[in-house]
Amino acid sequence: MKKALVTGITGQDGSYLAELLLDKGYEVSGLVRRNSTPNKERIDHLTDKVELIEGDLMDLSSLMNAIKKTEPEEIYNLAAMSFVKASWDEPIATGEITGLGSTRVFEAARIVNPKIKVYQAASSEMFGKAEEVPQNERTRFHPRSPYGISKVYAYHSAVNYRESYDMFVSCGILFNHESPRRGLEFVTRKISEGVARIKFGGDKKILLGNMDAKRDWGYAGDFVEAMWLMLQQDKADDFVVGTGETHSVREFVETAFDYAGIKNWQNYIKQDEKYMRPAEVDILLADYSKAKRVLGWEPKVKFNKLVEMMVQADIDRLAK
């Protein structure tokens, strides 16, 4: 039985990845921060199937101890300060956790067992003010947020461990991926939950930032399969993972309101300056042809289906 250690297991991606690995017969361990009460809501249904280990990306010794204890063949490093807007408020903490924290994971693996295969969660936010559309593995990085900058640091650190120590470290450059498990602070979930509340006569307005920002939005449940496939290869490499379609925040709003049967969505949306980024990322669009060619991976859930899935889940949740 293969063993895997997942950092960030209580997050959106961590929960879907844990499900996937368990379905494939893995023994799954998840890293959770000590001295905290982690939000285990997303993995409540898995707590009897996964082992939770205390550790922290800020502390190398705790990571080494977790690896020694669980003896994984694969490590999936998903833990991060993952909310882009918050990275402006806490740029140094973001760099420490998302950037240096990833390096501590690589270093812990190198010291304990350099044969472990490591997946590093990279991000389309590394492209930022992209010089070309769509973006692929050769597109130059131009991050536009402390989050994007810290992900670039982690990415180059991963490549350095791969090239310097001959370690198997693969980076998944994942474009935006959403689900009903997305945090409420993210724009997609703010919209889906807001629409559900309006449908039930609750909230009257949804406050949003830039409605014209365009993103390549996929389903997190599809994307975790690409993560797993990367670590099943003979050679470590980097892969862009996305859908190859771009949609604006406005389109997301229109689709969500339309699905809920609420007319005149403009009456319920208010743009608020405080949700505008200091430096905006205008358009992100994935060229995932390498992942398709090498991994045999393709997204299954289309944009409209994703929006409908999220709105329906929030409607069902509030109905209870």
Side-chain angles (χ1 to χ4, degrees):
M1 182 186 284
K2 264 189 176 178
K3 295 179 181 178
L5 175 63
V6 181
T7 75
I9 195 168
T10 59
Q12 168 188 256
D13 293 8
S15 65
Y16 282 112
L17 179 62
E19 287 173 349
L20 177 85
L21 294 172
L22 288 167
D23 284 346
K24 292 185 179 298
Y26 278 67
E27 195 174 299
V28 180
S29 302
L31 194 79
V32 292
R33 275 183 306 166
R34 60 168 69 112
N35 301 328
S36 71
T37 49
N39 177 7
K40 297 178 188 168
E41 182 184 316
R42 296 183 183 97
I43 57 165
D44 269 345
H45 61 300
L46 303 175
T47 46
D48 58 335
K49 298 173 185 159
V50 301
E51 180 186 14
L52 298 180
I53 308 285
E54 287 190 338
D56 197 316
L57 262 62
M58 301 283 278
D59 181 54
L60 178 64
S61 62
S62 74
L63 296 173
M64 289 170 61
N65 290 336
I67 294 169
K68 285 174 185 171
K69 185 173 181 182
T70 58
E71 299 182 330
E73 285 105 314
E74 298 171 3
I75 295 174
Y76 295 85
N77 183 37
L78 312 183
M81 286 265 288
S82 61
F83 186 37
V84 177
K85 185 180 180 299
S87 76
W88 291 103
D89 301 325
E90 300 180 49
I92 295 164
T94 301
E96 274 284 357
I97 297 164
T98 307
L100 283 171
S102 299
T103 305
R104 291 185 192 100
V105 172
F106 310 146
E107 181 66 1
R110 183 187 74 81
I111 293 168
V112 177
N113 177 8
K115 297 293 181 208
I116 297 172
K117 289 185 171 184
V118 182
Y119 169 81
Q120 168 59 22
S123 168
S124 60
E125 288 288 331
M126 301 191 307
F127 296 124
K129 191 178 173 69
E131 294 178 352
E132 58 183 2
V133 179
Q135 295 90 37
N136 60 35
E137 294 81 6
R138 296 176 301 281
T139 302
R140 197 171 79 86
F141 299 140
H142 187 151
R144 299 266 278 177
S145 68
Y147 172 77
I149 292 164
S150 64
K151 281 292 187 183
V152 170
Y153 177 92
Y155 169 84
H156 284 300
S157 182
V159 173
N160 189 52
Y161 272 79
R162 186 164 72 212
E163 294 177 351
S164 303
Y165 300 113
D166 197 28
M167 287 174 63
F168 192 112
V169 186
S170 285
C171 295
I173 305 173
L174 271 56
F175 280 62
N176 291 60
H177 45 291
E178 318 298 317
S179 76
R181 299 180 194 173
R182 194 52 141 158
L184 287 166
E185 68 273 25
F186 290 87
V187 66
T188 51
R189 186 71 198 290
K190 184 196 276 192
I191 294 165
S192 68
E193 209 231 6
V195 167
R197 286 184 178 279
I198 289 165
K199 187 173 178 66
F200 284 108
D203 293 1
K204 296 289 182 283
K205 295 282 182 189
I206 303 174
L207 302 179
L208 297 175
N210 181 8
M211 298 280 286
D212 297 316
K214 290 184 174 179
R215 294 292 182 271
D216 183 325
W217 274 306
Y219 172 50
D222 288 344
F223 282 35
V224 296
E225 186 189 8
M227 298 177 189
W228 175 77
L229 285 166
M230 286 178 216
L231 297 199
Q232 310 318 305
Q233 306 305 305
D234 295 329
K235 183 169 143 288
D237 205 349
D238 307 319
F239 296 90
V240 160
V241 178
T243 70
E245 291 182 13
T246 188
H247 299 273
S248 66
V249 173
R250 182 176 278 99
E251 282 178 82
F252 200 106
V253 167
E254 288 170 351
T255 307
F257 275 93
D258 185 54
Y259 176 74
I262 302 168
K263 299 196 186 312
N264 303 319
W265 62 265
Q266 296 89 341
N267 297 341
Y268 303 100
I269 297 294
K270 185 182 179 194
Q271 284 191 277
D272 191 322
E273 280 297 319
K274 75 177 180 184
Y275 295 111
M276 299 288 191
R277 295 184 186 182
E280 184 55 84
V281 173
D282 298 314
I283 180 164
L284 292 174
L285 178 62
D287 169 7
Y288 68 91
S289 55
K290 181 179 173 182
K292 183 179 178 180
R293 186 179 74 251
V294 179
L295 306 177
W297 179 87
E298 280 198 87
K300 299 180 184 78
V301 177
K302 294 287 188 186
F303 175 75
N304 280 36
K305 177 68 178 166
L306 173 66
V307 179
E308 291 168 7
M309 179 197 299
M310 292 179 69
V311 173
Q312 189 60 53
D314 278 321
I315 287 172
D316 293 344
R317 189 174 56 82
L318 289 178
K320 289 176 184 173

